[in-house]
């Protein structure tokens, strides 16, 4: 039996012009619990200072409470704790640390959006995609260089991409497959 998320992914794969109007039903308690099992549990505490272990101690109740707030429209993302970490060039870069609960919701929404948008990516795209790593990209590049007629190689480093990305443009990309109407859910 296919899950709802698998059916969404199939629809996105078979119809590249499909526009989803309601995805909130996917954010069920079961889906949140499944996402919790896949979540990286090594992250630091957010602004509320709650740890992974503290959240997990009362996991079922926390998931039920989160689900109810999502359903009723009462969920508000808390502020993100800012930390500064070395970037390897003698400078510091900002790192945003969400609360454990918000990480769970972000990961759940990311799973849904990945199911919708993954079919749109080319096979040669590796950045931040499930089941693909920088090592996979290097292996592919190596095979092209050794096995092909490569005349030029260009290197590009996008510095502070997420600080500079055009957010209106990103919203337009999301809006291509997901109705961004404030009266629809997710």
């Amino acid at each position: 039996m296919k899950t709802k998320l698998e059916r969404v992914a199939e629809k996105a794969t078979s119809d590249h012009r499909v526009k989803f109007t309601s995805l909130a039903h996917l954010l069920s308690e079961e889906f949140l619990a499944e996402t919790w099992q896949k979540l990286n549990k090594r992250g630091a505490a957010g602004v509320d200072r709650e740890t992974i272990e503290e959240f997990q101690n009362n996991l079922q109740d926390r998931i039920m409470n989160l689900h109810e707030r999502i359903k009723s429209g009462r969920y508000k993302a808390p502020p993100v704790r800012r930390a500064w970490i070395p970037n390897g060039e003698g400078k510091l870069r900002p790192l945003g640390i969400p609360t454990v609960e918000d990480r769970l919701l972000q990961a759940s929404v990311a799973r849904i959006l990945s199911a919708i948008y993954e079919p749109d990516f080319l096979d040669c795209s590796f950045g931040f995609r499930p089941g693909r790593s920088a090592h996979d990209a290097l292996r592919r590049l190596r095979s092209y260089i050794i096995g092909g007629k490569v005349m030029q190689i260009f290197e590009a480093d996008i510095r502070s991409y997420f600080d500079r990305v055009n957010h209106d443009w990103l919203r337009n990309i999301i809006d291509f497959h997901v109705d961004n109407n404030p009266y629809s859910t997710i």
Side-chain angles (χ1 to χ4, degrees), residues 9-175:
E10 279 182 358
K11 183 68 174 168
T13 301
S14 67
D15 183 357
H16 290 281
R17 293 178 167 258
V18 69
K19 189 161 193 159
F20 295 91
T21 56
S22 177
L23 297 168
H25 68 282
L26 296 174
L27 289 172
S28 65
E29 289 179 30
E30 295 79 18
F31 189 79
L32 292 167
E34 183 181 303
T35 302
W36 176 262
Q37 296 307 316
K38 299 171 186 265
L39 197 64
N40 177 356
K41 310 276 191 324
R42 294 180 305 199
V47 293
D48 62 359
R49 299 290 181 199
E50 181 177 43
T51 66
I52 292 280
E53 293 78 21
E54 291 168 341
F55 189 91
Q56 192 162 331
N57 283 340
N58 199 9
L59 184 60
Q60 191 57 39
D61 288 342
R62 295 300 302 272
I63 288 175
M64 285 173 44
N65 180 278
L66 174 59
H67 180 253
E68 181 54 41
R69 286 182 288 135
I70 293 167
K71 271 182 30 181
S72 67
R74 293 181 294 116
Y75 180 82
K76 299 289 184 233
V80 174
R81 183 166 69 92
R82 179 69 68 195
W84 295 88
I85 60 173
N87 72 353
E89 298 174 3
K91 296 181 180 177
L92 297 176
R93 70 176 181 88
L95 177 69
I97 305 170
T99 63
V100 176
E101 180 180 73
D102 199 48
R103 281 180 50 208
L104 172 58
L105 181 55
Q106 287 180 28
S108 298
V109 171
R111 284 180 64 203
I112 294 168
L113 292 178
S114 290
I116 293 169
Y117 288 95
E118 185 63 25
D120 291 345
F121 285 96
L122 298 176
D123 188 49
C124 60
S125 175
F126 284 84
F128 298 103
R129 290 181 63 199
R132 292 170 180 250
S133 70
H135 293 289
D136 295 327
L138 290 172
R139 276 191 283 280
R140 176 81 61 90
L141 181 62
R142 182 178 187 277
S143 72
Y144 287 150
I145 291 171
I146 291 173
K149 294 182 180 180
V150 176
M151 302 299 287
Q152 297 174 337
I153 296 176
F154 295 93
E155 179 183 358
D157 185 11
I158 303 173
R159 294 186 186 270
S160 303
Y161 174 78
F162 291 106
D163 294 336
R164 295 186 173 109
V165 68
N166 183 326
H167 290 92
D168 290 333
W169 183 76
L170 281 177
R171 282 192 221 36
N172 286 339
I173 291 172
I174 296 292
D175 197 41

